[in-house]
Amino acid sequence: MKKLTTLGLSLALSFFAMPAFADGDVAKGEKVFKKCKACHTIEQGAKNKVGPNLFGIFGAEAGAVEGYKYSKAMMDSGITWDDTTLDEYLKKPRTFVKGTKMSFAGLKKESDREDLIAYLKTFK
C-alpha cells in the first residue's frame, strides 16, 4: 500500500510541475505570430523566407527544414522542438543557441510564448 501511495503522490506532484503550455490561447498566439510572419511561414508546403517554414515544428529536429540554409550552430544543436525547448528558444534565441542566424530578440512575456506555442501546435 505504501508503494501505491508513493506512486500516486509522485504522479500528482509531476502533474503540477509540468509547464502550463497547454493553457496557451491559440487565438492570441495567432496575433503573436504576426511578429514572426516577416521571416517565417507556417502553412504546409509554404516556402522558406528569411527563416524556415515552421509547419510541423513540434517533434522535429532543429535545422532540418528542407531547402533552408541554417547556421552551423543550429544544425549542430541536437535540439528536438518541444514545449520546453521552444519556450527557451523564443525567450532569448541567441542565448539558447549561440550562433543562431535568428536576429529576433525574443518574447519576454511568458504568456506570449505560451500562446504562440499553442498556435504553432495546431500546424501539424
Side-chain angles (χ1 to χ4, degrees):
M1 184 68 159
K2 186 175 180 179
K3 287 183 183 179
L4 190 56
T5 303
T6 303
L7 178 63
L9 181 59
S10 294
L11 287 172
L13 289 174
S14 68
F15 174 76
F16 290 109
M18 290 174 54
F21 298 112
D23 294 337
D25 183 306
V26 173
K28 288 180 181 176
E30 184 175 11
K31 289 179 184 174
V32 175
F33 187 75
K34 289 180 181 179
K35 296 177 182 181
C36 312
K37 277 187 138 182
C39 298
H40 296 278
T41 55
I42 189 73
E43 298 78 18
Q44 185 174 15
K47 292 182 179 183
N48 296 317
K49 293 170 97 176
V50 172
N53 177 285
L54 299 177
F55 183 87
I57 191 170
F58 282 88
E61 291 181 33
V65 172
E66 193 173 319
Y68 183 76
K69 185 173 165 91
Y70 288 94
S71 65
K72 182 167 175 28
M74 186 61 76
M75 290 177 22
D76 294 344
S77 70
I79 295 169
T80 298
W81 296 117
D82 60 19
D83 290 323
T84 304
T85 56
L86 195 51
D87 179 61
E88 288 298 315
Y89 186 68
L90 291 170
K91 188 186 310 182
K92 282 195 165 185
R94 287 176 272 167
T95 300
F96 189 67
V97 178
K98 293 188 187 319
T100 184
K101 288 172 41 177
M102 180 132 138
S103 61
F104 184 68
L107 295 171
K108 291 180 183 179
K109 289 185 179 178
E110 183 177 355
S111 61
D112 284 349
R113 294 191 310 272
E114 288 175 1
D115 295 340
L116 180 57
I117 289 169
Y119 177 68
L120 292 173
K121 282 183 171 182
T122 66
F123 293 87
K124 47 186 170 182

